[in-house]
Amino acid sequence: MTVLDRFLKGDRRSLAKVITHIENRRDLYREVLARLYTRTGKSYKIGFTGPPGGGKSSVVDLIADHFLKHDKKIGIIAVDPSSPFSGGALLGDRIRMAKLSNQENVFIRSMATRGSGGGLASASKDVCVVLDAFGFDLVLVETVGVGQVELDIMDAVDTVVVVLVPESGDTIQAMKAGLMEIADIFCLNKSDREGADRMAAELNMMLDVKRHGSDWEYPVIQTSALKGFGIDELQEQIHAHHKYLKDTSRFEKRRRRQVRVEVYQHLQDRLLEEVNTRLGGELTLDEIVDEIAAGESDPFTKATEIFDKYFR
Ligand SMILES: Nc1nc2c(ncn2[C@@H]2O[C@H](COP(=O)(O)OP(=O)(O)OP(=O)(O)O)[C@@H](O)[C@H]2O)c(=O)[nH]1
Ligand SMILES: [Mg+2]
């Protein structure tokens, strides 16, 4: 029996192996994904993003606990784009993993930056596909919302929860990072702290424009993962958002958009791979740069030449 056969029978060790295989882009990984893809579409995917240290992991834990009580099977992907710098966070995630991983119905996977930024986004999405195919009811994706990679990952989820904290500047940072646009639900965590009400009011005011003309209200939920309040309401709003998507045929639309992005992304990856292979083989970037530096050519002409030679 192959690893994939055991995977299809629900073996968790094979699940881990398949993920590693896909993550590292090993032989035939595209074929494996293609085979698994036919079994996907059943998991509901929820993304949690926001500034570093806002309590995303803590909130995800509590939400996971909540769904576990309702007999759901849960896959969690923790994307850590800044792994060289966040030893502390990783340690925290490990401790949590130890706690949650004991549960039969939970599977947690951490993913760190490797290669180019775009690579991490597509690898995370591929892992979503694997977890979906394995049969998890819910896939929770946590990622620090600081750049394009994280926003790209959120393309692959059905409901986006943006986790903020009641500190001045946090909303501004979130706006700059493009989080306001992608959020479906705002979770104002650490609401046990001073200034939470004021911040919630501020956030609600900012959302006026976004809410206008929309039949989704983009709720702001005050939570405290520390004290444990607001989590029920957050879970209810996630449920309400799911229902809203389903009732308004937006669910279909979102899923279609996900597929669209996925095709595009894989095509882009392949093209980039091809360019890099060429540049490492018969062409070298150094030679091209030499030529340009010597005043014999320019970047625009060179790029066009390469494109015309290999892709036309
Ligand atoms: N006061 C207070 N502290 C909290 C709350 N939630 C989390 N924390 C603390 O905030 C710190 C960061 O929590 P995490 O859950 O690791 O935050 P995170 O957003 O996952 O962090 P990164 O993944 O590193 O970006 C920890 O020390 C938590 O104990 C809360 O509701 N109130
Ligand atoms: Mg975290």
Side-chain angles (χ1 to χ4, degrees), residues 56-57 89 93 142:
K56 297 175 293 296
S57 299
D93 284 350
E142 175 198 337

Side-chain angles (χ1 to χ4, degrees), residues 51-58 89 142 144 189-190 192-193 223-226:
K56 297 175 293 296
S57 299
S58 312
E142 175 198 337
V144 187
N189 192 44
K190 306 199 185 184
D192 49 277
R193 286 189 181 168
T223 63
S224 168
L226 189 73

Side-chain angles (χ1 to χ4, degrees), residues 39 74 78 125 127 137 151 159 161 196 206 213 284-285 305:
R39 307 170 65 96
I74 306 168
K125 289 182 194 176
V127 174
D137 301 303
L151 297 191
T159 295
V161 178
M206 280 170 58
T284 78
L285 203 49
E305 264 175 34

